[in-house]
Amino acid sequence: MTTLKSLATSQFSEGLILKALHESSEPTAIYSEENMIIRFANKGMLELWGKDASIVGMPLLDAIPELVGQSFFSLLQNVWYSGESYSVKGAPAELIKSGVRKVDYYDYTYKALLNQDGKTWCILNTAREVTSEKEYLEMISVKEKREEALNNEMAATLKDLYSTNESLRNSMNLLWESREHVRTIIEQAPVGIAMLRGKDHVIEIANKSILKIWGRRESEVLNRPHRIARPELRGQKVFDWLDEVIITGERKTNNEFTVRLYHNGSLRDAIVNSIYQPIFSSDGEVTGVLIILDEITEQVTARRKNEKDQHMLAMAIQAGELATFYYEPATNLFSGNLLLHTWFGLKPLDHIDLSKALAVIVEEDRARVTQTIMRSLSKDSDGHYATEYQIQLPHEPSPRMVQARGKVFYDQGGQVISLNGTLRDITEQKKDEQRKDDFIGMVSHELKTPLTSLSAYLQLIQRDILLSQDFSMQTKVERSLRQVQYMNTLINGFLNISRLDSGKMVLDKSYFALSTLFSELEAELTNVIHSHFVVFKYGENIKISADREKISQVIYNLVGNAVKYSPAGSTIHVSCNNLNLGMVEIQVSDEGMGISEQDQQQIFERYYRVKSSKMGSIAGFGIGLYLCKEILELHNGSISVESNGEKGTCFSIILPL
């Protein structure tokens, strides 16, 4: 263990150590007494505060009045009285720099240094600004360029300050008179600090923080040459840098330097910020090196991962030809990527008021879009935003149909920060859907006439069979009539799509018992479906006011889907329950292939079909579930789906009584 006596014989004094700390760019300050008298502040801390050295010796709040109303003074007093240190990362601080009030973010520590009686005699404050890596690099670059001039200016300023400020000089002399105090400051510092002596770089001091970074114990390194104590650095640049500092007397600073460090018998990759500061004797000779080391492996790894994720997201957005948008309710500003600006006729990088963006939306959609945005931002919202609308620019001949999807982001207090999302051009998709609608409508009308004739012929045959009492043929004709009715229901479904679009679908409501409807459906489906077991469960005689034929069509459709997408021999359950809230729930569940979470969000959209290898050659138009949803919404009801994505699906219908 190095003693005070051995340090003295090595030409190290308290003054040299403090001066080395003073010349370091690592922001450091020392406070004493209950009102936090600034006893020491190096250049880095003064720059961080936006102040000069004249504030040393002043109470903290007198020296930096903009801290009034912020939490720093109360935190310092708590550390002073409790003797318990405080550390925080990424905390905001509002300071005045160059006459401009600005909020930046810092990692900082208040370390209580205790005397032999366990009382706090001073507080060591270290800090590091983390507002922007770019700003940090620029600060280091500017600082290096100005280092020589600033050092000279600082030396002259300190000389003048020491001669004019008696109280500060006395305080500094007291600190210099106690080498043990300085050693305690170094040992308890939250950043890695080590002191190397001479050309052999003998390690005289290594605090706990730097030992942890090195992966070494104190007994392994103290009083040993650096090259011998840390052989893992052979072939790396560190040894050469230390020699260079001794020879040139110039500080060496490295940012985000990757180094291989010792760890439990092997090596690990680490990323560090390091400063190698020359220590000068009174006659100007370089007698050693002060190492200040801060490991930032986790921070840099997280930042690089975020940059990679952002890059991948940008590629996905570009490949998908998606426009991105950002809306900030607090400022009412709306902006997005270049594609969004093109669609809305904005100049690149424009941030505009939301009302100007809404003005580009066609009048028939504008109010609905505004209501959808406000609803997604409301307190009772789930935070999701989804809608479709048209935008029309003056110079474009026809409007552009877009599909909007977004999500609301909140702060820790639950307040809305922004609504972020994407827009997709679905103009051609809507045209394709319209062509499908026109084709289906035309074919459905053309099929209506022969189907009606076929039904009439079957009814005539059925009447003749009743007269001849041919019961076997009667059963076949009845089944044929049911299949004709089923085909008629399908055609009506296609026609209902057109009626929905034109607003001509009308509900023929009546008051009926669900048990009666279930009994009829059970009889029909049992005769038609032979590949699966369809089990109906209905006990209570629940009556509802609804369009009986359309509710029957919805259930028929859900059971038909269950048959298509579940294996033969499996069971399909149909049940109804009174929710006792003026609502009834009907459920259709199967043991089929399941529906993924992504498909569940889109499965009720028109013409949407699940894209999965499990689908095989199962045919369909993608309108059945869409029609079910529209019919139920006309009844002021709803439909939802639950599935784990692997096996089994349950559709739930909610209807008012």
Side-chain angles (χ1 to χ4, degrees):
M1 175 65 72
T2 302
T3 64
L4 296 177
K5 183 176 180 180
S6 65
L7 285 174
T9 59
S10 303
Q11 298 182 355
F12 284 94
S13 67
E14 298 166 354
L16 291 179
I17 296 173
L18 281 175
K19 183 177 180 182
L21 286 176
H22 204 289
E23 299 298 332
S24 169
S25 66
E26 185 73 18
T28 306
I30 299 174
Y31 314 115
S32 70
E33 302 182 24
E34 297 179 358
N35 57 346
M36 301 302 140
I37 301 297
I38 303 172
R39 296 302 185 187
F40 172 83
N42 70 356
K43 177 173 58 61
M45 185 61 81
L46 292 172
E47 289 179 352
L48 184 149
W49 287 338
K51 308 297 181 182
D52 58 27
S54 63
I55 68 170
V56 178
M58 297 173 61
L60 181 64
L61 294 185
D62 291 346
I64 312 173
E66 57 267 31
L67 293 182
V68 174
Q70 302 186 56
S71 61
F72 304 103
F73 188 74
S74 61
L75 290 173
L76 282 165
Q77 285 196 318
N78 185 58
V79 172
W80 180 268
Y81 290 118
S82 67
E84 296 180 359
S85 299
Y86 175 82
S87 180
V88 69
K89 291 184 178 293
E94 185 174 358
L95 296 169
I96 297 176
K97 298 183 180 180
S98 301
V100 178
R101 186 178 292 271
K102 183 182 178 183
V103 175
D104 287 319
Y105 293 84
Y106 304 89
D107 294 346
Y108 63 87
T109 298
Y110 297 144
K111 183 70 176 183
L113 303 183
L114 310 179
N115 59 22
Q116 294 179 348
D117 297 329
K119 301 294 184 179
T120 304
W121 62 271
C122 74
I123 295 176
L124 173 65
N125 176 198
T126 57
R128 183 168 68 91
E129 183 175 351
V130 294
T131 303
S132 167
E133 196 63 30
K134 180 178 179 181
E135 292 179 359
Y136 175 78
L137 294 175
E138 290 176 353
M139 179 187 72
I140 293 298
S141 175
V142 172
K143 185 178 176 185
E144 287 179 344
K145 292 178 181 178
R146 298 175 56 194
E147 183 64 24
E148 185 174 352
L150 288 175
N151 283 341
N152 294 334
E153 180 183 351
M154 182 61 72
T157 302
L158 285 174
K159 185 176 180 180
D160 294 338
L161 186 60
Y162 293 159
S163 63
T164 57
N165 192 333
E166 188 62 27
S167 61
L168 175 61
R169 185 177 64 184
N170 292 336
S171 298
M172 294 299 296
N173 288 336
L174 288 173
L175 288 173
W176 290 349
E177 290 171 1
S178 176
R179 291 182 58 85
E180 188 61 32
H181 290 170
V182 175
R183 186 180 184 86
T184 301
I185 290 172
I186 293 174
E187 289 180 347
Q188 297 185 14
V191 295
I193 299 177
M195 294 184 64
L196 313 183
R197 170 174 50 85
K199 295 181 180 180
D200 291 334
H201 309 302
V202 176
I203 303 171
E204 292 202 333
I205 295 178
N207 69 358
K208 292 180 180 179
S209 297
I210 206 165
L211 289 172
K212 182 179 179 181
I213 296 172
W214 287 352
R216 298 289 185 177
R217 295 189 299 273
E218 189 177 56
S219 60
E220 295 176 322
V221 298
L222 282 187
N223 298 317
R224 301 184 67 192
H226 190 256
R227 291 177 183 272
I228 297 175
R230 301 185 66 205
E232 66 272 13
L233 295 179
R234 290 189 187 122
Q236 304 188 61
K237 298 179 180 180
V238 176
F239 293 153
D240 294 337
W241 287 339
L242 290 171
D243 290 339
E244 182 182 335
V245 172
I246 288 288
I247 294 170
T248 65
E250 296 179 357
R251 185 183 62 188
K252 178 68 177 176
T253 301
N254 303 295
N255 298 307
E256 292 192 15
F257 169 60
T258 301
V259 62
R260 299 274 288 170
L261 297 176
Y262 183 80
H263 180 70
N264 294 333
S266 60
L267 296 181
R268 68 181 180 93
D269 289 326
I271 303 172
V272 298
N273 289 334
S274 62
I275 299 173
Y276 304 108
Q277 176 74 34
I279 299 175
F280 296 91
S281 65
S282 58
D283 58 2
E285 179 185 356
V286 179
T287 59
V289 179
L290 174 70
I291 299 177
I292 299 177
L293 199 62
D294 185 17
E295 181 170 357
I296 55 172
T297 305
E298 291 184 2
Q299 299 93 312
V300 173
T301 301
R303 190 198 73 215
R304 290 174 181 174
K305 180 180 182 301
N306 182 61
E307 290 172 351
K308 180 181 178 181
D309 292 343
Q310 291 295 328
H311 178 67
M312 296 298 293
L313 176 61
M315 291 178 60
I317 289 173
Q318 184 178 5
E321 296 182 345
L322 298 176
T324 61
F325 66 85
Y326 173 89
Y327 171 56
E328 188 177 77
T331 60
N332 205 38
L333 291 182
F334 175 79
S335 187
N337 64 357
L338 182 60
L339 187 58
L340 177 111
H341 286 237
T342 301
W343 288 356
F344 279 81
L346 307 176
K347 295 179 180 179
L349 303 179
D350 265 0
H351 289 73
I352 65 168
D353 188 272
L354 179 63
S355 60
K356 293 183 179 179
L358 292 173
V360 182
I361 300 174
V362 299
E363 186 175 356
E364 62 190 75
D365 294 340
R366 193 176 304 142
R368 175 175 53 81
V369 173
T370 302
Q371 291 173 0
T372 304
I373 293 174
M374 294 302 104
R375 188 162 53 248
S376 68
L377 297 173
S378 64
K379 292 183 178 180
D380 55 351
S381 167
D382 62 359
H384 288 89
Y385 166 70
T387 188
E388 295 177 359
Y389 56 86
Q390 301 177 82
I391 51 179
Q392 176 71 65
L393 295 178
H395 61 275
E396 292 187 351
S398 58
R400 183 191 307 273
M401 174 66 79
V402 297
Q403 181 186 69
R405 293 287 186 273
K407 184 177 180 181
V408 179
F409 290 85
Y410 305 88
D411 61 18
Q412 293 181 346
Q415 298 299 313
V416 174
I417 299 175
S418 64
L419 170 60
N420 301 357
T422 61
L423 294 176
R424 182 168 66 92
D425 188 339
I426 57 172
T427 306
E428 291 303 318
Q429 174 185 324
K430 287 297 181 181
K431 290 180 180 179
D432 289 342
E433 290 179 1
Q434 185 59 50
R435 285 190 284 269
K436 287 182 182 179
D437 290 344
D438 294 342
F439 173 76
I440 289 173
M442 178 190 69
V443 171
S444 299
H445 279 291
E446 292 298 324
L447 289 174
K448 261 291 191 181
T449 300
L451 196 62
T452 302
S453 300
L454 178 60
S455 178
Y457 285 128
L458 286 171
Q459 289 175 4
L460 289 173
I461 294 173
Q462 185 181 38
R463 187 184 62 182
D464 292 341
I465 290 173
L466 288 174
L467 294 175
S468 65
Q469 294 186 347
D470 187 345
F471 298 111
S472 62
M473 184 62 68
Q474 180 179 351
T475 301
K476 295 176 182 178
V477 171
E478 287 177 351
R479 290 179 178 176
S480 298
L481 281 170
R482 280 195 294 270
Q483 291 302 310
V484 169
Q485 180 61 35
Y486 176 64
M487 180 65 73
N488 191 54
T489 300
L490 289 177
I491 292 173
N492 286 335
F494 292 138
L495 292 175
N496 283 334
I497 297 292
S498 298
R499 296 190 185 111
L500 276 171
D501 290 339
S502 62
K504 295 180 180 179
M505 178 178 280
V506 179
L507 298 180
D508 182 15
K509 287 188 175 183
S510 61
Y511 199 59
F512 62 92
L514 276 177
S515 57
T516 304
L517 176 62
F518 271 39
S519 178
E520 293 175 1
L521 289 173
E522 184 177 19
E524 291 179 16
L525 292 171
T526 301
N527 287 327
V528 173
I529 299 173
H530 304 288
S531 58
H532 294 70
F533 298 100
V534 183
V535 178
F536 281 78
K537 181 182 178 181
Y538 51 95
E540 185 179 351
N541 190 21
I542 303 171
K543 292 185 177 181
I544 63 172
S545 176
D547 188 318
R548 194 177 193 276
E549 180 181 348
K550 289 183 174 59
I551 297 302
S552 174
Q553 179 183 350
V554 168
I555 298 173
Y556 217 108
N557 186 290
L558 294 177
V559 173
N561 283 348
V563 170
K564 285 197 293 184
Y565 300 114
S566 58
S570 61
T571 303
I572 299 166
H573 294 274
V574 185
S575 63
C576 66
N577 297 290
N578 191 339
L579 299 181
N580 297 322
L581 297 172
M583 308 293 284
V584 64
E585 180 182 45
I586 300 173
Q587 290 189 328
V588 178
S589 59
D590 61 49
E591 301 169 353
M593 63 183 66
I595 302 171
S596 70
E597 184 176 351
Q598 180 180 356
D599 287 323
Q600 290 177 37
Q601 298 175 5
Q602 297 177 271
I603 200 167
F604 296 106
E605 295 178 4
R606 185 192 297 191
Y607 300 124
Y608 183 82
R609 299 203 69 221
V610 174
K611 299 177 180 62
S612 170
S613 58
K614 296 186 291 185
M615 292 284 290
S617 59
I618 299 175
F621 291 97
I623 63 171
L625 291 177
Y626 167 75
L627 185 60
C628 289
K629 178 178 76 74
E630 295 296 326
I631 289 174
L632 293 170
E633 287 181 354
L634 284 175
H635 283 82
N636 295 320
S638 63
I639 184 171
S640 60
V641 60
E642 290 184 12
S643 176
N644 61 13
E646 296 296 330
K647 181 180 180 181
T649 301
C650 178
F651 286 90
S652 297
I653 298 168
I654 304 295
L655 284 170
L657 294 176

